[in-house]
Amino acid sequence: MPGVVIIGAQWGDEGKGKVVDLLAADASTIVRFQGGNNAGHTIVRDGEEFKFHLIPSGILYEDKTCVIGNGVVVDPRVLLGEIDGLRRAGVGVGDLKISANAHLIMPYHVLLDTAGETKLGKHSIGTTRRGIGPCYADKALRLGIRVQDLLDEKILRTKIRAALEPKQQALRELSVLRRKRLKEAGEDAKAVSEPAGDGPDPRIDLHTMVEEHVAYGHRLEPHIADTAKLCWDALDADETVIFEGAQATLLDLDHGTYPFVTSSNPVAGAATVGAGVGPTDITEVWGVAKAYATRVGAGPFPTELHDETGERMVDQGREFGTTTGRRRRCGWIDLVALRYAVRLNRIDALAITKLDVLRGLGPLRVAVRYRSREGAVLDSFPYHQSILHSATPEYEELPGFDEEIGECRKEEELPRAARDFLAYIAEFTGVPVRLVGVGPARDQVVWLD
Ligand code: IMP
């Protein structure tokens, strides 16, 4: 019963989609278990680039079941957009299944996300503004709307009405606050389009929302299923099921750099809850990490570079978000954080992506410990946010490489320095590097023993 979890081991955008796509070759089922359309996977196949936000990366295979699990938050408009896009590209979506228990991102969640960030001002988290946090909050408050509710207009109306009332009030208050701020700044408040003005906002009108969502329900109905059972059936038949994480370990709501995190649990353990399987269904955990590190949004990032090397990482790695287009913050690989991710997720194998980006950036640095403001040596990832915020990394320097590695397909074809760099990561974290990305295309990988 091979249940393989693939998760991000840094701050996201590690290239999980490509790793899932490759490992999915031997799987029957690929399941997303958390997050929503805050994620973005780019897969290049036969020269064609596909971008997904919600649909699991395995969709490009014809014979795989792709599942959006109960732990995912689904914006139905976005999902239908992706389904339509795939159909236009000639990709079949018949085997896409959506958990009836997954929660829906409603228009008011998106408005609340933006309004909340605006209210936080310079303390904002830098969310993707896709409504993720407010949707998970409603789930915990038991005010959420679930995928199955799309199939019953009466229930849908009752639930939206109940959920909407406190939102309208919150949005009104935020709107007043925003207008006040704009006025203080001498700007014309009326000229700015507000999330929700003093009058009713058509985007969150009850009648309109119900009508729209009933229509979404009609279109999604053939895909709605008991997806936990689907996973059990596959596992019990000895098929391989891949549990595909979104975001990453250091953005985990419980174990990441709170509050600069996402509102779900991207760690491997969450695959059980978000897909509906047991811990012993998981037989292998893969962690995906870039050969350097990136982060979008606010929050601590000890190895962040503000120099020319950081700029070159942005350029050479095309480090702009798939979802929001934001420029990613870049820095050297942080092995203190990676070792933390390895233990937290009990990672069995590492995939190191984008090694080619480090070409010409030598000598290569790897962070091996932090130093606190008071001068203490920190060998492990500090649990206290204030310490992490002010920690400075200490590096080991390794030789760089200038050779083009995009054509390498075997370990021995990689330059000596690149191999030594990978061996250092494996040694430091105690986990083998099994897969290395040497370029964006699907076949630009090197499998290691
Ligand atoms: P949210 O998930 O939109 O609420 O955003 C919370 C934090 O997680 C922000 O710092 C985002 O930039 C970050 N984040 C969310 N999704 C991703 C992702 O797929 N990759 C990288 N960062 C992400």
Side-chain angles (χ1 to χ4, degrees), residues 165-347:
E165 205 248 345
K167 314 290 184 302
Q168 278 167 328
Q169 199 177 327
L171 282 168
R172 250 193 309 273
E173 280 166 17
L174 286 164
S175 169
V176 170
L177 183 85
R178 192 161 134 79
R179 277 161 193 271
K180 197 173 138 217
R181 281 212 188 137
L182 287 169
K183 214 167 168 184
E184 280 165 7
E187 289 177 42
D188 181 5
K190 285 206 183 78
V192 181
S193 117
E194 282 293 290
D198 298 332
D201 186 319
R203 289 168 294 185
I204 54 169
D205 169 67
L206 175 66
H207 180 69
T208 316
M209 268 192 293
V210 172
E211 258 191 2
E212 265 173 18
H213 284 76
V214 166
Y216 296 151
H218 287 313
R219 289 202 53 204
L220 291 176
E221 193 167 2
H223 300 283
I224 300 174
D226 178 351
T227 54
K229 185 167 182 311
L230 246 155
C231 293
W232 307 335
D233 291 347
L235 290 163
D236 293 346
D238 262 345
E239 295 168 4
T240 298
V241 177
I242 289 186
F243 300 91
E244 173 182 359
Q247 292 82 51
T249 304
L250 296 163
L251 291 175
D252 185 273
L253 183 59
D254 288 77
H255 302 283
T257 53
Y258 190 89
F260 302 103
V261 292
T262 192
S263 298
S264 66
N265 292 109
V267 292
T272 60
V273 181
V277 299
T280 48
D281 283 317
I282 309 295
T283 47
E284 203 173 317
V285 178
W286 280 67
V288 187
K290 275 180 196 165
Y292 49 104
T294 63
R295 175 166 200 165
V296 270
F301 180 10
T303 61
E304 181 171 13
L305 292 171
H306 299 282
D307 59 8
E308 202 202 314
T309 307
E311 289 295 328
R312 286 183 63 190
M313 285 174 178
V314 174
D315 290 344
Q316 293 177 200
R318 297 196 290 158
E319 292 297 350
F320 294 91
T322 317
T323 303
T324 57
R326 287 181 290 178
R327 182 184 186 282
R328 296 179 183 138
R329 301 156 66 193
C330 287
W332 295 113
I333 191 166
D334 182 341
L335 296 185
V336 182
L338 188 57
R339 191 163 56 187
Y340 170 69
V342 162
R343 184 62 191 91
L344 190 59
N345 297 290
R346 246 304 181 220
I347 290 172

Side-chain angles (χ1 to χ4, degrees), residues 11-14 16 32 35-41 53 113 117 124-134 136 246-248 250-251 259-264 294-299 321-324 326 328-329:
W11 279 279
D13 310 312
E14 295 94 348
K16 295 177 287 293
R32 268 221 31 204
N37 58 309
N38 46 350
H41 296 316
H53 298 287
D113 199 352
E117 285 283 273
S124 70
I125 293 159
T127 73
T128 58
R129 303 192 174 203
R130 299 296 189 267
I132 308 295
Y136 278 115
Q247 292 82 51
L250 296 163
L251 291 175
F260 302 103
V261 292
T262 192
S263 298
S264 66
T294 63
R295 175 166 200 165
V296 270
T322 317
T323 303
T324 57
R326 287 181 290 178
R328 296 179 183 138
R329 301 156 66 193

